[in-house]
Amino acid sequence: MLAIGGDHAATHYKECIKSHLDARKIEYVDFGTNETASCDYPDFALKVAEAVASGKCEKGILICGTGIGMSIAANKVKGIRCAHCTDTFSAKACREHNDANVLALGERITGMGTALDIVDVFVDTPFSNDERHIRRIEKMSAIEDRYFK
């Protein structure tokens, strides 16, 4: 199951992505917002990140104006590896190499067709389980253990 969330700058994309996931019969939990009134993206990044970190959801998708703020906020949650992607190559690499568990998109910077392609690649690409990538993820986890007290 996926967790999905976005701020006021991303309500249109979030609804389009949800429709796309529905068409693919991929289950998700919508953590909001469903309003266009100004709101704070860290609130929604936290909800999605906590759902993924807790294991309630396998992966997450976050959308805001650029995707940058969402990715920064989500990465403050221990166990989250959120990747801001603007192309399918990055979406594939972040899954294969980094085992990214949250995707951040920007409605104001990425076209809808590309965004849906990125979602598909992110959802469909497995982690490679390559020894060198595992080693690097373990090093990132050690950094978290050191600084996330």
Side-chain angles (χ1 to χ4, degrees), residues 13-32:
Y13 266 34
K14 185 166 68 81
E15 291 307 311
C16 291
I17 291 169
K18 285 170 42 180
S19 294
H20 183 72
L21 295 173
D22 289 339
R24 291 196 55 198
K25 296 181 176 28
I26 296 173
E27 294 182 356
Y28 57 84
V29 178
D30 183 350
F31 288 94

Side-chain angles (χ1 to χ4, degrees), residues 9-148:
T11 54
H12 174 69
Y13 266 34
K14 185 166 68 81
E15 291 307 311
C16 291
I17 291 169
K18 285 170 42 180
S19 294
H20 183 72
L21 295 173
D22 289 339
R24 291 196 55 198
K25 296 181 176 28
I26 296 173
E27 294 182 356
Y28 57 84
V29 178
D30 183 350
F31 288 94
T33 187
N34 297 311
E35 305 294 327
T36 56
S38 182
C39 60
D40 298 329
Y41 61 82
D43 298 337
F44 304 98
L46 179 61
K47 290 176 185 180
V48 168
E50 286 179 335
V52 174
S54 72
K56 177 180 178 181
C57 295
E58 180 184 347
K59 295 176 189 151
I61 300 171
L62 291 166
I63 316 108
C64 65
T66 64
I68 298 167
M70 284 289 199
S71 65
I72 292 169
N75 280 318
K76 301 296 182 191
V77 175
K78 186 173 182 172
I80 295 302
R81 290 178 302 281
C82 180
H84 173 245
C85 296
T86 58
D87 58 80
T88 56
F89 179 83
S90 297
K92 185 174 178 67
C94 80
R95 286 290 309 129
E96 286 181 342
H97 298 189
N98 311 115
D99 197 18
N101 50 14
V102 179
L103 168 67
L105 296 168
E107 181 167 338
R108 295 177 180 155
I109 63 170
T110 304
M112 176 53 71
T114 301
L116 295 177
D117 289 344
I118 291 167
V119 167
D120 285 342
V121 170
F122 181 80
V123 168
D124 295 340
T125 302
F127 176 55
S128 70
N129 280 312
D130 181 274
E131 181 180 315
R132 65 191 165 128
H133 299 310
I134 292 169
R135 182 179 66 246
R136 293 167 186 161
I137 291 168
E138 288 172 349
K139 287 182 177 190
M140 287 189 282
S141 294
I143 293 168
E144 280 185 342
D145 290 341
R146 182 173 177 180
Y147 289 100
F148 282 58

